[in-house]
Amino acid sequence: SDMSKERRVLQYVLQTASRGDPDSVLAAVDKYGREKEWNMSVGDEKGAILDRFVKERAPQTMLELGTYMGYSAVRMVRLLPQGAKFITVEVNQDNAAVAKEIIAFAGLQDRIIQVLAETAEVIPQLKSKFNVESFDMVFIDHWKDFYLRDIKLLEQNKLLRKGTVVVADNIIFPGAPDYADYVRTCGKYESTFHEGKINGKKPDGMEKSVYRG
Ligand SMILES: Oc1cc(-c2ccc(F)cc2)cc2cccnc12
Ligand SMILES: [Mg+2]
């Protein structure tokens, strides 16, 4: 069968970006998305907001739910200090394989731990299997129906601590209203909404929720 869209994005990155240069990899994914085929990576508008959050928090330990093609993993890890631990979880084997190649091309393979699993399965194993005590920052960008389930799993497994920054993509579209309502009203987070369009036109945004501990 012919190539998937994700494989076409990978091919474009390999042919047009510079090996070992994360910024050129991000630019290539964004350019392909603008000029050829849109893809559901967080993109450059919301990506710039994410950059600011990462720079402000300077996390030593970070978790991403939803690797997809690795765009946001490359985006965030390029801003982390060398010794930081970054774990990203993806359930789709084909996308995880594309992400592995994009992350390697960017030269960040030694700084990213990729896990192929359902998030609900792996969250309870993070302390034991990956020697994690708690996360300084979490980026939630997988399926909207799992956002609320998974942040509660992170709480229950004591993986959040005072000051942990939890950022969630797609609060408006595709939308995660139950998650947004929870983080804004449960009293455990200081939560703010940050608007950012999808593909330069579709209204969306990310929720930034700081765990009170
Ligand atoms: O950032 C995202 C965007 C979309 C999306 C899908 C169809 C559209 F027409 C627009 C946006 C889906 C996602 C699914 C999972 C994680 N992130 C997504
Ligand atoms: Mg998203």
Side-chain angles (χ1 to χ4, degrees):
S1 66
D2 68 315
M3 229 184 268
S4 69
K5 173 173 71 177
E6 291 74 20
R7 283 271 163 202
R8 291 194 291 271
V9 176
L10 170 61
Q11 184 177 55
Y12 184 79
V13 168
L14 300 178
Q15 287 171 351
T16 66
S18 314
R19 181 177 293 280
D21 177 356
D23 286 290
S24 77
V25 168
L26 298 175
V29 174
D30 288 331
K31 184 174 164 74
Y32 190 85
R34 261 193 326 275
E35 298 177 2
K36 312 275 189 321
E37 305 175 84
W38 178 82
N39 73 73
M40 60 186 178
S41 299
V42 73
D44 50 356
E45 184 174 336
K46 288 186 285 178
I49 299 167
L50 197 54
D51 287 355
R52 197 176 67 240
F53 293 158
V54 173
K55 285 179 193 165
E56 284 164 359
R57 185 66 184 78
Q60 282 298 327
T61 55
M62 181 152 193
L63 173 68
E64 175 180 64
L65 304 182
T67 313
Y68 189 38
M69 291 191 289
Y71 176 92
S72 46
V74 166
R75 183 137 206 146
M76 294 186 282
V77 168
R78 87 193 205 285
L79 301 175
L80 294 185
Q82 271 290 353
K85 177 176 282 190
F86 185 95
I87 299 172
T88 182
V89 185
E90 176 58 52
V91 71
N92 180 297
Q93 262 181 345
D94 304 332
N95 292 343
V98 168
K100 189 171 178 355
E101 294 201 51
I102 284 181
I103 286 165
F105 191 78
L108 299 176
Q109 67 287 347
D110 297 340
R111 300 167 62 182
I112 294 173
I113 299 167
Q114 279 190 257
V115 182
L116 182 63
E118 290 275 0
T119 52
E121 239 177 66
V122 79
I123 288 171
Q125 300 173 337
L126 288 171
K127 281 184 189 270
S128 54
K129 269 195 172 174
F130 298 92
N131 188 30
V132 167
E133 201 238 318
S134 64
F135 290 105
D136 296 332
M137 190 162 178
V138 179
F139 181 50
I140 304 177
D141 191 25
H142 54 342
W143 295 115
K144 58 187 174 55
D145 299 347
F146 301 154
Y147 280 29
L148 181 55
R149 177 199 71 187
D150 287 354
I151 196 166
K152 287 184 173 177
L153 272 175
L154 288 166
E155 290 174 9
Q156 289 153 13
N157 285 276
K158 306 265 180 272
L159 286 162
L160 307 180
R161 65 182 177 93
K162 184 175 175 47
T164 297
V165 174
V166 183
V167 183
D169 190 23
N170 307 115
I171 294 298
I172 306 298
F173 193 88
D178 57 345
Y179 172 86
D181 183 57
Y182 176 73
V183 291
R184 293 168 183 169
T185 64
C186 73
K188 299 175 188 174
Y189 302 88
E190 178 65 38
S191 206
T192 50
F193 175 72
H194 301 261
E195 188 182 2
K197 289 189 175 51
I198 293 172
N199 206 16
K201 48 180 172 287
K202 200 167 184 57
D204 188 22
M206 301 186 292
E207 191 81 6
K208 179 192 178 195
S209 309
V210 183
Y211 192 59
R212 298 185 197 279

